[in-house]
Amino acid sequence: QVQLVESGGGLAQPGGSLRLSCTTNGLALDDYVTGWFRQAPGKEREVVSCISAKLANTYYANSVKGRFTISRDNAKNTVYLQMNKLNLDDTAVYYCATESAYYSDYDCLASWFPSWGQGTQVTVSS
């Protein structure tokens, strides 16, 4: 079973930055689509960003476009989510997911991903 490990969460002030990392030793992340999702208290899980296999095309939710950047370091087998200009609405548990064969420039669905990490808490507060 693939085990994904997220790290990099924590407390940030509004306008601040955090970088999340997602890694695994169970497969090569560049062979699959990898996504970041988040779930805030009392809300449904929502997609944040996804990156395609090989070509590393990217998809972003409208709420994070221009602020967040997803990337992949194949040598480290790690997918990153650089989060800038954080605001209070970004507070959530962030999950990494992978092993999807599906990628679209127009959406990224949680149902596409069979493997999930445990999540890392991101709290934006002044």
Side-chain angles (χ1 to χ4, degrees), residues 37-48:
F37 296 79
R38 67 186 181 186
Q39 187 165 19
K43 295 187 177 180
E44 293 186 355
R45 182 174 51 188
E46 62 177 3
V47 64
V48 177

Side-chain angles (χ1 to χ4, degrees), residues 12-74:
Q13 292 187 336
S17 298
L18 287 172
R19 188 178 77 159
L20 305 184
S21 300
C22 171
T23 191
T24 178
N25 58 6
L27 50 75
L29 289 174
D30 70 333
D31 284 341
Y32 299 94
V33 180
T34 299
W36 285 97
F37 296 79
R38 67 186 181 186
Q39 187 165 19
K43 295 187 177 180
E44 293 186 355
R45 182 174 51 188
E46 62 177 3
V47 64
V48 177
S49 181
C50 295
I51 187 167
S52 71
K54 305 306 179 187
L55 293 180
N57 295 320
T58 56
Y59 167 85
Y60 295 95
N62 287 334
S63 58
V64 306
K65 263 181 198 174
R67 301 189 299 122
F68 291 10
T69 302
I70 191 170
S71 62
R72 185 174 58 227
D73 185 330
N74 294 337

Side-chain angles (χ1 to χ4, degrees), residues 73-126:
D73 185 330
N74 294 337
K76 296 182 178 179
N77 203 34
T78 300
V79 171
Y80 301 98
L81 184 69
Q82 178 67 44
M83 304 186 297
N84 299 329
K85 300 179 182 180
L86 287 163
N87 60 53
L88 300 180
D89 291 338
D90 295 320
T91 295
V93 177
Y94 283 70
Y95 298 92
C96 175
T98 194
E99 244 184 325
S100 172
Y102 301 110
Y103 175 80
S104 169
D105 287 336
Y106 306 104
D107 205 348
C108 189
L109 302 181
S111 59
W112 295 348
F113 297 86
S115 299
W116 290 78
Q118 295 300 307
T120 184
Q121 177 70 47
V122 170
T123 302
V124 183
S125 175
S126 56

